[in-house]
């Protein structure tokens, strides 16, 4: 990774940004967020930005997103699963993009105006429908009232009101009004859910006494000041108005539907605006003088000549200066592996980005991951299915991220097929000579031994990587003390346990332990601390032991796959002998084995990854890095062809 400084005239800023974005090989640092005090040119520059242009682009993006969201809400695009995954892009030449975008902009403006008008119409209709529905709910209890609502009003001598009373209070109210000597009429129009809808009329002279008495019995007054006619007539009118509103909404949506044909252009224009917005945002990372600008970034060493070549073709004033990272300087990390290992960078990235001064573990973990996946599945039939499904999907799916995962599944399927035939079976049955080596179900201890042995091999391999890295850094003694002595101690203990007759395991382990006590505290400042640290370091043997035992999960997962497959076959076998049993047996086998395949594939992937992350990485891996994020085109629907670069 090289650090790059790029200086050019202000007039060529757009060309420089276009080259950087379309080439997509350089990560641009934010100079305005960086402390430039140590830079010799810090006093000569000031922050750069194009805020007005950026605001205009954001407004245009908001308009396009409104149109697309509106169409998606009422006319969702119908895409097949493969189309959605592959996402074919429209190819556009870079030197024709501005003219093409102008046409998209014109169409977008027309679509936006039309959809905005429809949206306002729909909002108006929605508000009117809400008002009508609420009024309908208020009037429905009064549908049996034959008095026109405009006549429910007070005169000089009579007060007329509508309202509700608890049905249980209706009798007592009438009795108390009669006892009070009030001149009144209290008619129940309708009763439902414990409420009586009543019309009450009383003499004006009782205007204080009657309302007070009604209030004591929870009388709730209803008013319809703007309505005329009976409630029934009003309800009929409301129904007609609701039907009309629905008709108008359908007409408005039909008008909006005419804009669906422009959806592709909206998506293209959204991509164009996003590209332009990204460029304007990136300007805020630059520093500038009155006539020039400067930017800083990181680039992979092998991409630097190509960047210089493209910039020289596109610009006349640009100057590029590069250097290697200084000692201790942090820089972004770009994982670079051979094509066979590239898909497995997916596993590394899930864990995190390695330190820029550390080692990319991808190539080292790949063979172990494949083997562990197969041992965790141990069924040849499942392996064939996984490999075939992945291979078929690889012929159909194009996005690189999905293809990487499919390649991992394909490799896992092949491994499952091999180990399944060796120590398992075919869909839980002993077919085609399986198991070729031994049966994991009949001899699980042997599979456990192999699992632990693989664990020791991987841990030793991780220690070897760390030792090689230390030697490469010139720390040969660190490799001898921190890995070599542990090799001797562990191997000595293993010899004592497995082949005690050799008689060399004990002395080897004792010598290694003494060496560890004498060397593991070498960085401590005092002799006492050196000795105590060295002595306590022997406790790490428990860590090695637990790490090795962790590989027993391969045995557990492998047995689980075989046992579930065998259980499915046994249950299916119980159904034979009757036609109905045969009919049930087929779906039982399909569902049972599909479940076993899916759940144990997931488990194999998770635990094979877990063994890399916890047991393997623990020996050499240094994390804390930051992924390399180059400034590049970020489009979904169009693919910009940088033809202008060839001028």
């Amino acid at each position: 990774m090289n650090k790059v400084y790029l200086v050019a005239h202000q007039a060529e800023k757009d060309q420089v940004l276009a080259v950087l974005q379309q080439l997509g090989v350089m990560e641009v640092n934010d100079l305005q967020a960086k402390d430039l005090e140590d830079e010799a040119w810090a006093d000569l520059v000031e922050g750069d930005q194009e805020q007005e242009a950026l605001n205009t682009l954001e407004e245009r993006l908001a308009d396009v997103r409104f149109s697309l969201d509106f169409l998606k809400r009422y006319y969702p695009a119908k895409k097949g699963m493969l189309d959605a995954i592959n996402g074919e892009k429209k190819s556009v030449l870079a030197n024709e993009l501005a003219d093409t975008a102008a046409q998209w902009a014109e169409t977008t403006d027309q679509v936006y105006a039309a959809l905005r008008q429809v949206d306002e119409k729909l909002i108006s209709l929605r508000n009117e429908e809400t008002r009508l529905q609420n009024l309908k709910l208020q009037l429905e209890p009064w549908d049996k009232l034959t008095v026109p609502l405009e006549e429910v009003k007070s005169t000089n001598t009579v007060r007329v009101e509508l309202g509700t009373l608890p049905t249980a209070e209706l009798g007592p109210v009438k009795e108390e009004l009669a006892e009070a000597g009030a001149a009144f009429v209290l008619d129940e129009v309708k009763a439902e859910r414990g409420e009586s809808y009543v019309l009450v009329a009383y003499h004006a002279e009782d205007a204080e006494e009657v309302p007070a008495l009604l209030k004591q019995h929870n009388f709730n007054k209803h008013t319809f000041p703007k309505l005329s006619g009976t409630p029934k007539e009003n309800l009929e009118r409301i129904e007609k108005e609701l039907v009309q509103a629905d008709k108008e909404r359908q007409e408005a949506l039909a008008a909006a539907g005419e804009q669906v044909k422009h959806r592709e252009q909206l998506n293209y224009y959204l991509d164009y605006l996003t590209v332009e917005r990204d460029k304007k945002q990136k300007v805020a990372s630059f520093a500038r003088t009155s006539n020039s600008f400067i930017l800083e970034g990181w680039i992979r060493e092998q991409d630097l000549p190509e960047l210089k070549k493209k910039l020289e073709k596109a610009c006349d004033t640009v100057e590029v200066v590069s250097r290697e990272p200084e000692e201790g300087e942090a820089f972004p990390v770009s994982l670079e592996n051979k094509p066979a290992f590239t898909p497995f960078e997916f596993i590394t990235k899930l864990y995190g980005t390695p330190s820029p001064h550390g080692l990319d573990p991808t190539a080292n973990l790949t063979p172990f991951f494949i083997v562990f996946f197969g041992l965790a599945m141990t069924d040849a039939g499942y392996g064939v299915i996984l490999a075939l499904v992945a291979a078929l999907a690889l012929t159909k799916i194009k996005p690189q991220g999905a293809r990487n995962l499919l390649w991992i599944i394909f490799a896992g399927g092949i491994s499952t097929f091999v180990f399944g035939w060796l120590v398992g079976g075919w869909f839980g049955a002993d077919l085609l000579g399986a198991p070729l080596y031994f049966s994991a179900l009949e001899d699980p201890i042997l599979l456990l031994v192999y699992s632990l042995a693989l664990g020791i091999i991987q841990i030793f391999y991780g220690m070897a990587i760390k030792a090689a890295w230390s030697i490469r850094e010139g720390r040969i003694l660190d490799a001898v003390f921190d890995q070599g002595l542990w090799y001797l101690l562990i191997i000595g203990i293993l010899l004592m346990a497995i082949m005690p007759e050799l008689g060399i395991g004990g002395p080897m382990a004792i010598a290694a332990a003494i060496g560890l006590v004498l060397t593991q505290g070498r960085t401590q400042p005092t002799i006492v601390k050196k000795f105590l640290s060295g002595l306590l370091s022997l406790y790490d043997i428990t860590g090695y032991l637990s790490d090795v035992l962790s590989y027993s999960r391969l045995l557990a997962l492998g047995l689980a796959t075989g046992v579930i497959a065998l259980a499915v076959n046994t249950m299916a076998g119980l159904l034979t002998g009757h036609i109905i049993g045969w009919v049930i047996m087929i779906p039982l086998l399909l569902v049972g084995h599909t479940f076993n395949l899916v759940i144990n594939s997931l488990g194999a992937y998770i635990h094979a990854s877990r063994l890399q992350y916890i047991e393997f990485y623990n020996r050499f891996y240094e994390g804390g890095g930051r992924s390399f994020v180059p400034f590049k085109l970020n489009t979904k629907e169009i693919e910009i062809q940088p033809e202008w670069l060839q001028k």
Side-chain angles (χ1 to χ4, degrees):
M1 192 67 70
N2 277 8
K3 194 164 195 176
V4 175
Y5 295 92
L6 192 154
V7 183
H9 194 274
Q10 285 281 355
E12 293 189 325
K13 186 187 295 181
D14 288 341
Q15 291 95 315
V16 170
L17 280 167
V19 172
L20 294 180
Q21 192 177 37
Q22 292 177 26
L23 205 52
V25 297
M26 179 175 171
E27 179 180 304
V28 180
N29 294 341
D30 187 354
L31 281 176
Q32 297 190 33
K34 183 180 177 182
D35 185 3
L36 298 176
E37 290 184 356
D38 295 335
E39 303 289 353
W41 41 266
D43 295 335
L44 304 176
V45 299
E46 60 184 7
D48 197 357
Q49 61 179 357
E50 296 184 7
Q51 194 59 46
E52 185 176 348
L54 183 59
N55 290 340
T56 301
L57 285 168
E58 291 288 3
E59 291 173 2
R60 298 289 292 165
L61 277 167
D63 291 349
V64 180
R65 290 194 185 105
F66 164 81
S67 299
L68 285 170
D69 289 344
F70 186 95
L71 293 178
K72 182 180 179 181
R73 185 162 61 248
Y74 294 105
Y75 296 94
K78 296 178 180 177
K79 281 187 175 181
M81 187 173 69
L82 278 178
D83 291 337
I85 294 175
N86 289 330
E88 296 286 348
K89 293 183 177 181
K90 175 183 175 63
S91 180
V92 182
L93 295 177
N95 57 353
E96 298 176 358
L97 183 59
D99 293 337
T100 308
Q103 298 172 12
W104 294 338
E106 184 178 352
T107 302
T108 299
D109 289 342
Q110 295 171 0
V111 173
Y112 175 76
L115 294 183
R116 179 59 76 181
Q117 185 177 3
V118 171
D119 188 57
E120 292 172 354
K121 177 67 175 179
L122 292 177
I123 292 174
S124 173
L125 288 171
R126 192 179 305 120
N127 292 337
E128 179 63 13
E129 285 176 327
T130 301
R131 185 189 70 80
L132 292 172
Q133 291 289 0
N134 290 336
L135 185 58
K136 180 180 175 182
L137 288 175
Q138 294 175 24
L139 284 172
E140 279 178 339
W142 299 100
D143 59 343
K144 293 183 179 177
L145 180 66
T146 55
V147 178
L149 293 172
E150 70 271 19
E151 295 181 8
V152 181
K153 60 184 180 180
S154 298
T155 65
N156 293 333
T157 56
V158 178
R159 302 285 187 269
V160 181
E161 295 176 359
L162 298 175
T164 59
L165 278 168
T167 302
E169 300 291 330
L170 190 58
V173 168
K174 288 182 178 179
E175 291 176 2
E176 292 182 23
L177 287 173
E179 291 175 357
F184 72 98
V185 173
L186 182 59
D187 285 342
E188 183 184 52
V189 178
K190 190 175 184 180
E192 61 181 18
R193 293 191 292 271
E195 292 284 338
S196 290
Y197 293 82
V198 298
L199 182 146
V200 57
Y202 51 91
H203 197 276
E205 293 180 353
D206 299 321
E208 293 184 2
E209 186 176 4
V210 173
L213 195 147
L214 290 171
K215 187 177 181 180
Q216 291 176 8
H217 291 272
N218 298 321
F219 177 76
N220 184 19
K221 185 177 179 180
H222 289 196
T223 59
F224 303 97
K226 296 182 180 178
L227 298 182
S228 60
T230 64
K232 184 177 181 180
E233 291 170 346
N234 278 279
L235 285 169
E236 292 173 351
R237 175 182 58 79
I238 289 171
E239 287 296 338
K240 291 178 180 177
E241 291 181 1
L242 285 172
V243 171
Q244 179 61 28
D246 183 64
K247 181 181 178 183
E248 291 180 20
R249 183 175 59 253
Q250 297 304 326
E251 291 173 351
L253 289 176
E258 296 177 1
Q259 307 302 324
V260 171
K261 61 187 177 186
H262 301 301
R263 192 200 308 267
E264 284 190 346
Q265 291 193 50
L266 292 175
N267 282 316
Y268 299 156
Y269 192 50
L270 181 69
D271 272 358
Y272 169 77
L273 291 174
T274 302
V275 168
E276 294 301 310
R277 189 270 317 271
D278 290 349
K279 286 196 288 190
K280 299 304 179 188
Q281 286 180 334
K282 196 54 67 177
V283 171
S285 301
F286 298 175
R288 61 166 293 166
T289 66
S290 57
N291 295 313
S292 64
F293 68 94
I294 181 170
L295 64 90
E296 176 194 272
W298 293 98
I299 188 171
R300 297 186 305 172
E301 187 175 354
Q302 62 267 35
D303 293 328
L304 185 59
E306 183 71 8
L307 176 66
K308 288 182 177 179
K309 180 181 175 183
K310 301 302 182 189
L311 284 171
E312 287 171 358
K313 283 188 176 180
C315 311
D316 298 324
T317 64
V318 68
E319 187 68 32
V320 179
V321 179
S322 64
R323 64 168 174 81
E324 293 185 350
E326 296 174 350
E327 184 175 356
E329 184 177 18
F331 55 88
V333 177
S334 174
L335 301 181
E336 298 173 17
N337 291 282
K338 299 290 184 185
F341 301 121
T342 300
F344 294 87
E345 291 176 357
F346 177 80
I347 298 172
T348 300
K349 291 176 181 177
L350 280 182
Y351 184 75
T353 305
S355 165
H357 306 290
L359 180 71
D360 177 2
T362 304
N364 294 299
L365 72 83
T366 297
F368 290 106
F369 179 89
I370 295 173
V371 170
F372 294 165
F373 187 97
L375 278 175
M377 289 290 288
T378 58
D379 190 287
Y382 294 169
V384 170
I385 290 177
L386 284 175
L388 288 178
V389 170
L392 178 62
L394 281 167
T395 64
K396 302 291 184 183
I397 293 176
K398 297 179 179 178
Q400 193 56 47
R403 291 181 64 82
N404 286 343
L405 182 59
L406 289 170
W407 275 115
I408 294 173
I409 296 173
F410 178 78
I414 297 297
S415 176
T416 301
F417 161 71
V418 172
F419 286 104
W421 207 351
L422 286 173
V423 301
W426 293 78
F427 303 104
D430 294 339
L431 303 174
L432 302 176
L436 296 177
Y437 185 33
F438 70 92
S439 172
L441 290 177
E442 295 176 0
D443 194 357
I445 298 301
L446 187 55
L447 182 57
L448 175 63
V449 171
Y450 281 116
S451 298
L452 298 181
L454 283 171
I456 293 172
I457 291 172
Q458 190 180 32
I459 290 172
F460 277 14
Y461 183 62
M463 293 167 62
I465 294 173
K466 181 65 175 177
W469 187 260
S470 297
I471 293 171
R472 178 183 171 185
E473 297 289 311
R475 295 180 281 110
I476 298 175
L477 290 180
D478 286 351
V480 173
F481 296 153
D482 297 338
Q483 281 80 46
L485 292 175
W486 277 109
Y487 273 128
L488 290 177
L489 179 61
I490 296 171
I491 293 173
I493 293 174
L494 290 173
L495 289 175
M496 288 170 60
I498 300 172
M499 292 184 288
E501 67 276 9
L502 294 179
I504 61 172
M508 185 185 296
I510 293 172
I514 294 173
L516 288 169
V517 171
L518 295 177
T519 61
Q520 294 305 292
R522 61 186 183 278
T523 59
Q524 297 297 327
T526 65
I527 294 178
V528 174
K529 287 186 176 179
K530 289 178 188 293
F531 174 74
L532 290 176
S533 295
L535 187 63
L536 291 174
S537 70
L538 296 178
Y539 185 73
D540 291 344
I541 192 65
T542 59
Y544 284 96
L545 179 62
S546 65
D547 286 349
V548 172
L549 291 176
S550 185
Y551 288 83
S552 62
R553 70 186 63 238
L554 296 175
L555 162 72
L557 291 166
L559 289 182
T561 307
V563 168
I564 294 175
L566 184 62
V568 171
N569 293 342
T570 302
M571 287 190 291
L574 296 175
L575 297 174
T576 58
H578 192 279
I579 188 169
I580 297 178
W582 286 101
V583 171
I584 298 174
M585 183 182 70
I586 294 174
L588 174 64
L589 288 171
L590 289 174
V591 172
H593 283 293
T594 301
F595 169 79
N596 196 22
L597 173 63
V598 172
I599 198 70
N600 282 296
S601 296
L602 185 62
Y605 177 84
I606 291 173
H607 287 280
S609 300
R610 193 261 186 204
L611 289 173
Q612 316 306 319
Y613 298 152
I614 306 301
E615 278 70 31
F616 188 46
Y617 283 13
N618 190 33
R619 301 300 157 203
F620 68 93
Y621 180 80
E622 293 180 22
R626 179 175 62 82
S627 294
F628 176 62
V629 184
F631 175 52
K632 61 182 181 180
L633 294 168
N634 182 24
T635 62
K636 296 180 179 177
E637 302 290 339
I638 61 174
E639 183 175 1
I640 300 174
Q641 301 292 338
E643 182 180 312
W644 60 272
L645 289 171
Q646 301 171 10
K647 71 181 181 181

